Every structure is written in C-alpha cells, then in structure tokens.
Amino acid sequence: MTVAMPKAINVPRMTRVTWYKHRTLVLGIPGMFLLAAALLVIDSLLQRHWISSHHFTYCLTYGDNSTSSRCLTQNAPYQLGIFAEFVNYWRTEGTVLAVFLLAAAAGLFGGVPWVAREFEGGGFRFTWTQSVSPRRWLLGTFGPLTLLAAATAAICGVAAHWWFQVAQFRLDGGTSPWGWESFEMTPLSMASWTLLAMALALLLGVTIRRVLPAMITFAVIFGGCLVLAQTWLSTFLFSVGDIPLRVNYGNPDPSGSYLAQTWFARPGGPKLNLMTVYAQMPNVPQPQQARWLAQHHLTVWIAYQPHSHLVWLALARNGILVAVAVLAVLASVWWLRKHPAE
C-alpha cells in the first residue's frame, strides 16, 4: 500500500488560500477608498447644488492677484452675505486631512498586519513547503493587494479632486494651487502615497515580524514621511529651477506663481539677508523705504516658480514617493532571502 503524496500548490490554489485567509483585507482596503470616494461625490453634489440654487457660480473664481473667491476679496468683502456662510474652514480642512490619511490607514491596519501576522502565526511555513518560494509567496500575494489598493486610491483621488474644485472656496474663500491641499487632492498623489504605505508595511512586516511592534514602527516612520514631504521636500522641490526676477520695491509677485525666495542685493554684490537690511531700514512708509533702498543702491529680488512649473513639480514629488516605495520592496525581498525564517 502506497501513501499518496500531497500535490504542490499551484498558483490558482495559492490565490484561493490567500483569499480565504485575507479576504477581509482584500475587501476592506478597496472598500475604504471607494466608500470615501462615494461620500466625497455626494458632498460635492450637495455643495454644487447649493451654489447653483443660490446663483453664486460667479463666486467660484479667484479675484485678481488673490487666492480668495471674487465674492470675498478686498474689493467686495463679504459682499454676498449668504456666500460667506458657505465658507467653513475646519470642515473642509478636516475632510482633506481625513482623505490624506487614508493611505496611512491602509498600510497601518491592512498591510502591516497581513505580513507580520503570517510570520507571527507561522502560516508562511505551510506555503513554503509546497514548492512555493518565499519571494513568490511574498510578491504573488501582497503585490495584487497593493495594486488593488493603489487603483482604488486613484479612484478616490479622482473624486477628491472633483470635490476640492468647489470645497477649496470654503477655506476662507479659496486656497493657493501651491498649497498642500491642492497637491494632495489628486489621483496621482493618493496612489503614490498608498504605494509607499503598502511598501513600507511590507518592509516592516518582513523585518520585524510582530504585529504590534511593526504597527508602532510604521506609524512613526510613515508619519515622519508625511511631515517631511510637506516641509523639507516641498521647499526643496520648489527651489529647483526657480526663476530670479528683479522687482521694484512693493511690486506684487507674478500672478499665480510661488514665491520661493526674497532677498536684497547691491549691483554686482552678494545676496543680503532680509532681516539685516530691515534692521537698518527706518520705520517709514513704503514710498520712503523705496527711496532709502535707492540711496543705498539696494535692489529687491525674488525667485519664483511660474504656474506652468506646477505640474512638473507635482510629478517629481510623486515620482520620489514611488521610487522610495520600489526601494522598500526591493529591500523586503533582499531581507527575506537573507533571513527566510526564524
């Protein structure tokens, strides 16, 4: 009597096993993004209906040399009192922040537990004994989940972008296209952050292999990435390829541009620190300040990013996020090969 040997798990069966073990995450992560997208679409429809029914479509444009609605500029301060009631800074800012953190939630409550629990509970051992390599197991199951999360995040980003086209005028009447809200409420940004979150979850799950420590580490590192992207990275990118321009004292910046830097200079001389010059400048009205600068042979310079550079800077920022995600995946594969099991 011979004993029948168990058959090796083929790809379809491995997929079914993954579905049975992780169907909550496979449904939960896309469901979270799609639910958020549906809520944003409904809220946007309600806002647009309110604007249309009150005949305030004209308010959804910016005033000249302003980042505020035409109905809330200095030339017409709260001219339309009912439209002023439409402004709701904290509600809009809170919604933007909640949408922005969806990628973090996907990685923290979905990606990290998925990988770390496989090692913590030892479920990976059965798969590895069925002629399935650790790399194939890791990428063959976690990869489709990541792509599904990124695709639904992009769908949510489409809804967020459409919603923000009107909702931005609730931020005290408007916001700059260079603001962090405008940068994040796009399909590409949401998909990039989701890819980074899932890749970081993969790396921490493979290296730490304990659910709770990996989740805490993820929260710290990914939170640092969010802060770094909004501070140092944005400042660095906005200074790349900026255009210097000599201006008359008190002249406005080019319309729709981002002011990267301002400084004083003498003809053929180095840049002078603003505070150093202001400390020597008498406290007089602007026309006399301009005369004082001319007497001291000082000129005012700015470095700015024109509005035409905005799309390229956005692509560069999101490209950096995707590149970091790819590095995290490669590091995960390398670590798993060096330390396959405990």
Side-chain angles (χ1 to χ4, degrees):
M1 180 176 179
T2 60
V3 179
M5 298 297 294
K7 295 182 180 180
I9 297 179
N10 54 26
V11 174
R13 185 178 175 186
M14 189 174 74
T15 303
R16 290 198 301 270
V17 170
T18 302
W19 163 254
Y20 290 142
K21 295 178 63 176
H22 306 289
R23 57 184 178 273
T24 302
L25 293 179
V26 175
L27 295 176
I29 293 178
M32 176 185 66
F33 285 113
L34 295 179
L35 176 61
L39 293 176
L40 289 171
V41 169
I42 293 173
D43 188 54
S44 184
L45 289 173
L46 294 176
Q47 293 184 61
R48 292 169 190 269
H49 174 73
W50 190 95
I51 290 291
S52 177
S53 62
H54 289 82
H55 308 289
F56 286 156
T57 305
Y58 174 76
C59 297
L60 301 185
T61 54
Y62 292 110
D64 296 334
N65 297 321
S66 172
T67 59
S68 182
S69 165
R70 288 187 180 273
C71 295
L72 299 176
T73 59
Q74 293 180 353
N75 297 328
Y78 290 86
Q79 179 179 356
L80 301 176
I82 300 180
F83 183 77
E85 299 176 2
F86 179 75
V87 175
N88 191 328
Y89 177 88
W90 293 112
R91 182 179 183 275
T92 302
E93 194 76 5
T95 304
V96 171
L97 184 60
V99 174
F100 180 51
L101 293 178
L102 287 178
L108 179 62
F109 300 108
V112 173
W114 186 96
V115 182
R117 192 172 288 123
E118 282 286 323
F119 289 99
E120 192 174 52
F124 67 95
R125 293 188 177 91
F126 172 75
T127 307
W128 291 6
T129 59
Q130 304 301 311
S131 302
V132 177
S133 67
R135 182 178 63 180
R136 181 183 171 192
W137 162 78
L138 188 67
L139 300 181
T141 55
F142 196 74
L145 177 63
T146 301
L147 295 178
L148 182 62
T152 51
I155 295 174
C156 183
V158 173
H161 181 69
W162 188 66
W163 169 83
F164 192 68
Q165 289 177 346
V166 172
Q168 62 180 314
F169 292 98
R170 307 187 78 174
L171 294 171
D172 291 340
T175 186
S176 167
W178 298 89
W180 78 274
E181 300 96 344
S182 301
F183 251 66
E184 301 302 347
M185 294 295 99
T186 64
L188 182 59
S189 179
M190 292 198 63
S192 299
W193 278 116
T194 302
L195 287 174
L196 178 59
M198 297 299 284
L200 180 60
L202 179 67
L203 177 60
L204 295 178
V206 169
T207 54
I208 298 178
R209 303 185 179 185
R210 297 292 184 271
V211 175
L212 186 58
M215 292 180 70
I216 295 174
T217 307
F218 175 90
V220 173
I221 295 178
F222 195 74
C225 292
L226 296 178
V227 173
L228 193 65
Q230 303 303 332
T231 53
W232 174 83
L233 182 58
S234 295
T235 302
F236 170 75
L237 287 177
F238 290 170
S239 66
V240 175
D242 54 8
I243 302 174
L245 175 67
R246 177 180 173 178
V247 297
N248 295 326
Y249 190 74
N251 274 9
D253 304 328
S255 178
S257 65
Y258 172 83
L259 182 60
Q261 189 179 5
T262 305
W263 69 92
F264 294 105
R266 291 189 176 91
K271 296 180 180 179
L272 300 177
N273 185 273
L274 289 177
M275 299 310 299
T276 301
V277 176
Y278 284 140
Q280 301 174 7
M281 186 183 300
N283 188 17
V284 294
Q286 277 193 5
Q288 297 184 29
Q289 292 180 359
R291 191 178 304 113
W292 183 89
L293 290 172
Q295 291 173 353
H296 290 77
H297 307 288
L298 292 173
T299 54
V300 184
W301 289 78
I302 64 171
Y304 73 97
Q305 293 282 2
H307 190 270
S308 59
H309 290 185
L310 180 61
V311 62
W312 300 109
L313 294 172
L315 289 174
R317 200 285 300 265
N318 289 296
I320 291 174
L321 298 181
V322 174
V324 174
V326 172
L327 291 176
V329 172
L330 295 177
S332 302
V333 174
W334 175 84
W335 184 268
L336 187 61
R337 187 175 70 243
K338 294 294 183 180
H339 307 276
E342 296 179 353

